[in-house]
Amino acid sequence: MSTSEPLISIIVPVYNAEKYLPYCIKSILGQSYRNLEVILVDDGAKDSSPQICDSYAAKDSRIKVIHQENGGIGKAQNAGLDAAHGDYIAFADNDDILDRCNIELLLHALLDSGADMSKARWRQFGISQINQIAELAQQSIYRPEKVSIIKNPLHAYQTVFCKTLRLIGNILRQNTEARYFNEANWCRLYKRELWNGIRFPEGMYAQDVMVAGKLYSRMSKVADVNHILYFWLQSPESVTHNERSFKFFHDNVIAGVSNFNFAIDNGILPKRSFYTMTTLLKQENESPDLASNSALQKKDTAQVKYALQRLTKTQKIQCQILTAIRLCEKKIYDIKIKNRK
């Protein structure tokens, strides 16, 4: 790939990932698209992750390593954004694996469509499958894929989130899966200017949820590639699977309320944010350290109650139905996916 091609900055926050980090880095360096700036942000890791980052940087000039005191994933992502020189921005988690055509396919889709962001599909895998997945990701070859153009992604983000309804939509040939957006920043390619004036809140668990609404509102259209280009490790020790502190639930409630109000202000029924803030508030009330955070819990309850008052009775019923469907799906997900070995 000629260096005249656009520079892509890939930001990877790194923290205590020594067992999986080499797989992630190798999958990035092995991309079919070569004009990359790989920014590894060591967020004060306590294991050998910093040394692993430095060793790869010594071998490949495309890698830049930032070492900083531990401040959480939001701070690490911000450091990467501030240091990025690319025309386009991508993110990866330090224990995940990219298909070798990830960047190439996402870039082609974005440039060919004139979209603000491109995205693709992903697949979860367990730790025992990591070598198999790494090999599979490297065997990928470029081939034209179906690319769908999605307009008004903020609306899609708030309304298309139940897997059951997405499957039904696809059976009915509505191409519903292409309209599915979540808060994850990986398996996407962004125009750099989308991030102008937007940074992740630091010291917060739900940093990606907090910026989702603002990011999607800046996009006029998104290109969706109907192909698995990212492999998401389901690690038993991950925050998503294990964290049950009051702060974890509180941060998600606040992020849900923020996105809820943002959607209402933009004339969109916030079905996803209804689910987020109501279900996480319930979990907040069941957190083991609730007693020491009772005052903050009362404030969260008041914020959710005030937000819900902005809905009509019919709108609230719509949100409640989707929330019930999503909760059923989550039980199945927890059994089938989170418990993978």
mmCIF file of all heavy atoms in Angstrom, residues 5 8 54 58 60 64 85 94 101 125 133 136 143 146 149 164 168 209 225-226 275 281 283 287 321:
data_model
loop_
_atom_site.group_PDB
_atom_site.id
_atom_site.type_symbol
_atom_site.label_atom_id
_atom_site.label_comp_id
_atom_site.label_asym_id
_atom_site.label_seq_id
_atom_site.Cartn_x
_atom_site.Cartn_y
_atom_site.Cartn_z
ATOM 1 N N GLU A 5 -1.714 6.768 0.336
ATOM 2 C CA GLU A 5 -3.031 6.404 0.847
ATOM 3 C C GLU A 5 -3.246 7.072 2.208
ATOM 4 O O GLU A 5 -2.295 7.410 2.916
ATOM 5 C CB GLU A 5 -3.136 4.878 0.994
ATOM 6 C CG GLU A 5 -3.011 4.114 -0.303
ATOM 7 C CD GLU A 5 -4.229 4.305 -1.199
ATOM 8 O OE1 GLU A 5 -5.286 4.693 -0.675
ATOM 9 O OE2 GLU A 5 -4.113 4.064 -2.420
ATOM 10 N N ILE A 8 -4.172 5.875 8.721
ATOM 11 C CA ILE A 8 -5.166 5.413 9.690
ATOM 12 C C ILE A 8 -4.496 5.291 11.050
ATOM 13 O O ILE A 8 -3.488 4.600 11.191
ATOM 14 C CB ILE A 8 -5.752 4.037 9.305
ATOM 15 C CG1 ILE A 8 -6.196 4.019 7.844
ATOM 16 C CG2 ILE A 8 -6.881 3.659 10.264
ATOM 17 C CD1 ILE A 8 -7.342 4.926 7.524
ATOM 18 N N ASP A 54 6.830 -1.832 24.074
ATOM 19 C CA ASP A 54 8.127 -1.281 23.665
ATOM 20 C C ASP A 54 8.871 -2.219 22.717
ATOM 21 O O ASP A 54 9.541 -1.767 21.776
ATOM 22 C CB ASP A 54 8.992 -0.991 24.896
ATOM 23 C CG ASP A 54 8.468 0.176 25.723
ATOM 24 O OD1 ASP A 54 7.732 1.016 25.166
ATOM 25 O OD2 ASP A 54 8.787 0.253 26.924
ATOM 26 N N ALA A 58 9.998 -1.276 18.862
ATOM 27 C CA ALA A 58 11.391 -1.319 18.413
ATOM 28 C C ALA A 58 11.536 -2.033 17.070
ATOM 29 O O ALA A 58 12.506 -1.820 16.342
ATOM 30 C CB ALA A 58 12.258 -2.016 19.467
ATOM 31 N N ASP A 60 8.858 -2.142 14.680
ATOM 32 C CA ASP A 60 7.980 -1.594 13.643
ATOM 33 C C ASP A 60 7.795 -0.098 13.877
ATOM 34 O O ASP A 60 7.256 0.318 14.909
ATOM 35 C CB ASP A 60 6.622 -2.300 13.668
ATOM 36 C CG ASP A 60 5.813 -2.069 12.396
ATOM 37 O OD1 ASP A 60 5.700 -0.897 11.965
ATOM 38 O OD2 ASP A 60 5.287 -3.047 11.832
ATOM 39 N N LYS A 64 3.656 3.709 17.975
ATOM 40 C CA LYS A 64 4.018 4.732 18.947
ATOM 41 C C LYS A 64 3.480 4.293 20.300
ATOM 42 O O LYS A 64 2.310 3.923 20.414
ATOM 43 C CB LYS A 64 3.413 6.088 18.565
ATOM 44 C CG LYS A 64 3.694 7.190 19.592
ATOM 45 C CD LYS A 64 3.106 8.515 19.153
ATOM 46 C CE LYS A 64 3.420 9.607 20.178
ATOM 47 N NZ LYS A 64 2.877 10.924 19.745
ATOM 48 N N HIS A 85 -2.345 11.271 14.342
ATOM 49 C CA HIS A 85 -2.101 12.100 13.163
ATOM 50 C C HIS A 85 -2.907 11.627 11.951
ATOM 51 O O HIS A 85 -2.834 12.241 10.885
ATOM 52 C CB HIS A 85 -0.615 12.079 12.790
ATOM 53 C CG HIS A 85 0.282 12.641 13.853
ATOM 54 N ND1 HIS A 85 0.899 11.856 14.808
ATOM 55 C CD2 HIS A 85 0.653 13.915 14.118
ATOM 56 C CE1 HIS A 85 1.616 12.621 15.608
ATOM 57 N NE2 HIS A 85 1.487 13.877 15.219
ATOM 58 N N ASN A 94 -7.273 -4.224 23.915
ATOM 59 C CA ASN A 94 -5.958 -4.875 23.947
ATOM 60 C C ASN A 94 -5.983 -6.405 23.996
ATOM 61 O O ASN A 94 -4.927 -7.039 23.923
ATOM 62 C CB ASN A 94 -5.117 -4.331 25.097
ATOM 63 C CG ASN A 94 -5.695 -4.553 26.479
ATOM 64 O OD1 ASN A 94 -5.185 -3.999 27.457
ATOM 65 N ND2 ASN A 94 -6.754 -5.343 26.632
ATOM 66 N N CYS A 101 -8.235 -7.973 7.011
ATOM 67 C CA CYS A 101 -8.794 -7.003 6.062
ATOM 68 C C CYS A 101 -9.685 -5.968 6.752
ATOM 69 O O CYS A 101 -10.407 -5.222 6.072
ATOM 70 C CB CYS A 101 -9.583 -7.721 4.978
ATOM 71 S SG CYS A 101 -8.559 -8.681 3.838
ATOM 72 N N PHE A 125 -15.449 -14.834 21.180
ATOM 73 C CA PHE A 125 -14.754 -16.107 21.311
ATOM 74 C C PHE A 125 -14.206 -16.244 22.722
ATOM 75 O O PHE A 125 -14.004 -15.258 23.434
ATOM 76 C CB PHE A 125 -13.622 -16.231 20.272
ATOM 77 C CG PHE A 125 -12.443 -15.324 20.505
ATOM 78 C CD1 PHE A 125 -11.302 -15.776 21.168
ATOM 79 C CD2 PHE A 125 -12.454 -14.004 20.047
ATOM 80 C CE1 PHE A 125 -10.210 -14.941 21.374
ATOM 81 C CE2 PHE A 125 -11.371 -13.162 20.252
ATOM 82 C CZ PHE A 125 -10.244 -13.629 20.916
ATOM 83 N N ILE A 133 -8.652 -18.526 16.514
ATOM 84 C CA ILE A 133 -9.173 -17.261 15.998
ATOM 85 C C ILE A 133 -8.057 -16.432 15.363
ATOM 86 O O ILE A 133 -8.252 -15.804 14.305
ATOM 87 C CB ILE A 133 -9.860 -16.457 17.122
ATOM 88 C CG1 ILE A 133 -11.130 -17.167 17.590
ATOM 89 C CG2 ILE A 133 -10.164 -15.041 16.668
ATOM 90 C CD1 ILE A 133 -12.193 -17.301 16.515
ATOM 91 N N LEU A 136 -7.478 -17.853 12.000
ATOM 92 C CA LEU A 136 -8.611 -17.545 11.132
ATOM 93 C C LEU A 136 -8.563 -16.100 10.646
ATOM 94 O O LEU A 136 -8.804 -15.812 9.473
ATOM 95 C CB LEU A 136 -9.917 -17.799 11.885
ATOM 96 C CG LEU A 136 -11.221 -17.437 11.154
ATOM 97 C CD1 LEU A 136 -11.413 -18.313 9.929
ATOM 98 C CD2 LEU A 136 -12.411 -17.572 12.108
ATOM 99 N N ARG A 143 -12.502 -9.523 -0.446
ATOM 100 C CA ARG A 143 -13.520 -9.807 -1.447
ATOM 101 C C ARG A 143 -14.645 -8.793 -1.254
ATOM 102 O O ARG A 143 -14.932 -8.394 -0.122
ATOM 103 C CB ARG A 143 -14.053 -11.225 -1.321
ATOM 104 C CG ARG A 143 -14.592 -11.564 0.044
ATOM 105 C CD ARG A 143 -14.819 -13.080 0.179
ATOM 106 N NE ARG A 143 -15.266 -13.433 1.504
ATOM 107 C CZ ARG A 143 -14.461 -13.564 2.543
ATOM 108 N NH1 ARG A 143 -13.163 -13.345 2.391
ATOM 109 N NH2 ARG A 143 -14.924 -13.908 3.726
ATOM 110 N N LYS A 146 -21.379 -6.924 0.810
ATOM 111 C CA LYS A 146 -22.534 -6.051 0.781
ATOM 112 C C LYS A 146 -22.307 -4.887 1.734
ATOM 113 O O LYS A 146 -21.958 -5.077 2.888
ATOM 114 C CB LYS A 146 -23.796 -6.811 1.196
ATOM 115 C CG LYS A 146 -25.045 -5.937 1.241
ATOM 116 C CD LYS A 146 -26.260 -6.752 1.669
ATOM 117 C CE LYS A 146 -27.486 -5.856 1.742
ATOM 118 N NZ LYS A 146 -28.694 -6.613 2.179
ATOM 119 N N ILE A 149 -25.954 1.557 3.436
ATOM 120 C CA ILE A 149 -25.809 2.943 3.873
ATOM 121 C C ILE A 149 -26.948 3.260 4.851
ATOM 122 O O ILE A 149 -28.120 3.137 4.500
ATOM 123 C CB ILE A 149 -25.840 3.917 2.686
ATOM 124 C CG1 ILE A 149 -24.756 3.533 1.677
ATOM 125 C CG2 ILE A 149 -25.645 5.346 3.176
ATOM 126 C CD1 ILE A 149 -23.356 3.476 2.246
ATOM 127 N N THR A 164 -33.624 -10.205 18.991
ATOM 128 C CA THR A 164 -34.793 -10.920 18.472
ATOM 129 C C THR A 164 -35.453 -10.159 17.329
ATOM 130 O O THR A 164 -35.760 -10.726 16.266
ATOM 131 C CB THR A 164 -35.827 -11.137 19.595
ATOM 132 O OG1 THR A 164 -35.211 -11.831 20.676
ATOM 133 C CG2 THR A 164 -37.009 -11.937 19.083
ATOM 134 N N ILE A 168 -35.815 -11.030 13.258
ATOM 135 C CA ILE A 168 -37.103 -11.009 12.562
ATOM 136 C C ILE A 168 -37.043 -10.051 11.377
ATOM 137 O O ILE A 168 -37.532 -10.346 10.284
ATOM 138 C CB ILE A 168 -38.228 -10.604 13.533
ATOM 139 C CG1 ILE A 168 -38.436 -11.689 14.591
ATOM 140 C CG2 ILE A 168 -39.539 -10.353 12.764
ATOM 141 C CD1 ILE A 168 -39.417 -11.319 15.683
ATOM 142 N N VAL A 209 -20.454 5.044 26.454
ATOM 143 C CA VAL A 209 -21.880 5.381 26.407
ATOM 144 C C VAL A 209 -22.069 6.896 26.445
ATOM 145 O O VAL A 209 -22.925 7.449 25.747
ATOM 146 C CB VAL A 209 -22.636 4.731 27.584
ATOM 147 C CG1 VAL A 209 -24.137 5.027 27.496
ATOM 148 C CG2 VAL A 209 -22.414 3.215 27.602
ATOM 149 N N VAL A 225 -20.630 -2.812 6.717
ATOM 150 C CA VAL A 225 -20.076 -3.925 5.945
ATOM 151 C C VAL A 225 -20.605 -5.229 6.531
ATOM 152 O O VAL A 225 -20.368 -5.530 7.702
ATOM 153 C CB VAL A 225 -18.528 -3.919 5.987
ATOM 154 C CG1 VAL A 225 -17.971 -5.089 5.181
ATOM 155 C CG2 VAL A 225 -17.982 -2.599 5.456
ATOM 156 N N ASN A 226 -21.305 -5.996 5.730
ATOM 157 C CA ASN A 226 -21.921 -7.240 6.181
ATOM 158 C C ASN A 226 -20.894 -8.371 6.209
ATOM 159 O O ASN A 226 -20.961 -9.330 5.437
ATOM 160 C CB ASN A 226 -23.100 -7.604 5.285
ATOM 161 C CG ASN A 226 -23.824 -8.846 5.760
ATOM 162 O OD1 ASN A 226 -23.745 -9.191 6.938
ATOM 163 N ND2 ASN A 226 -24.501 -9.520 4.855
ATOM 164 N N TYR A 275 -33.904 1.464 28.509
ATOM 165 C CA TYR A 275 -33.434 0.165 29.008
ATOM 166 C C TYR A 275 -32.198 0.336 29.886
ATOM 167 O O TYR A 275 -32.122 -0.225 30.990
ATOM 168 C CB TYR A 275 -33.127 -0.765 27.833
ATOM 169 C CG TYR A 275 -32.259 -1.943 28.196
ATOM 170 C CD1 TYR A 275 -32.802 -3.052 28.833
ATOM 171 C CD2 TYR A 275 -30.896 -1.938 27.909
ATOM 172 C CE1 TYR A 275 -32.005 -4.130 29.186
ATOM 173 C CE2 TYR A 275 -30.099 -3.006 28.249
ATOM 174 C CZ TYR A 275 -30.646 -4.108 28.892
ATOM 175 O OH TYR A 275 -29.854 -5.174 29.250
ATOM 176 N N LEU A 281 -30.263 1.124 37.088
ATOM 177 C CA LEU A 281 -30.682 1.688 38.367
ATOM 178 C C LEU A 281 -31.119 0.572 39.315
ATOM 179 O O LEU A 281 -30.799 0.596 40.518
ATOM 180 C CB LEU A 281 -31.826 2.679 38.168
ATOM 181 C CG LEU A 281 -32.352 3.348 39.453
ATOM 182 C CD1 LEU A 281 -31.278 4.244 40.075
ATOM 183 C CD2 LEU A 281 -33.610 4.168 39.153
ATOM 184 N N GLN A 283 -30.022 -2.515 39.268
ATOM 185 C CA GLN A 283 -28.802 -3.209 39.687
ATOM 186 C C GLN A 283 -28.006 -2.367 40.681
ATOM 187 O O GLN A 283 -27.361 -2.901 41.585
ATOM 188 C CB GLN A 283 -27.961 -3.552 38.458
ATOM 189 C CG GLN A 283 -28.588 -4.627 37.592
ATOM 190 C CD GLN A 283 -27.764 -4.933 36.361
ATOM 191 O OE1 GLN A 283 -27.689 -4.122 35.436
ATOM 192 N NE2 GLN A 283 -27.138 -6.087 36.337
ATOM 193 N N SER A 287 -26.371 -3.344 44.555
ATOM 194 C CA SER A 287 -24.915 -3.401 44.669
ATOM 195 C C SER A 287 -24.486 -3.622 46.116
ATOM 196 O O SER A 287 -25.147 -3.148 47.050
ATOM 197 C CB SER A 287 -24.286 -2.111 44.128
ATOM 198 O OG SER A 287 -24.731 -0.991 44.868
ATOM 199 N N ILE A 321 -41.820 -2.586 26.703
ATOM 200 C CA ILE A 321 -41.896 -3.838 25.939
ATOM 201 C C ILE A 321 -40.516 -4.240 25.431
ATOM 202 O O ILE A 321 -40.095 -5.402 25.562
ATOM 203 C CB ILE A 321 -42.881 -3.688 24.763
ATOM 204 C CG1 ILE A 321 -44.316 -3.574 25.292
ATOM 205 C CG2 ILE A 321 -42.762 -4.872 23.803
ATOM 206 C CD1 ILE A 321 -45.339 -3.247 24.220
#
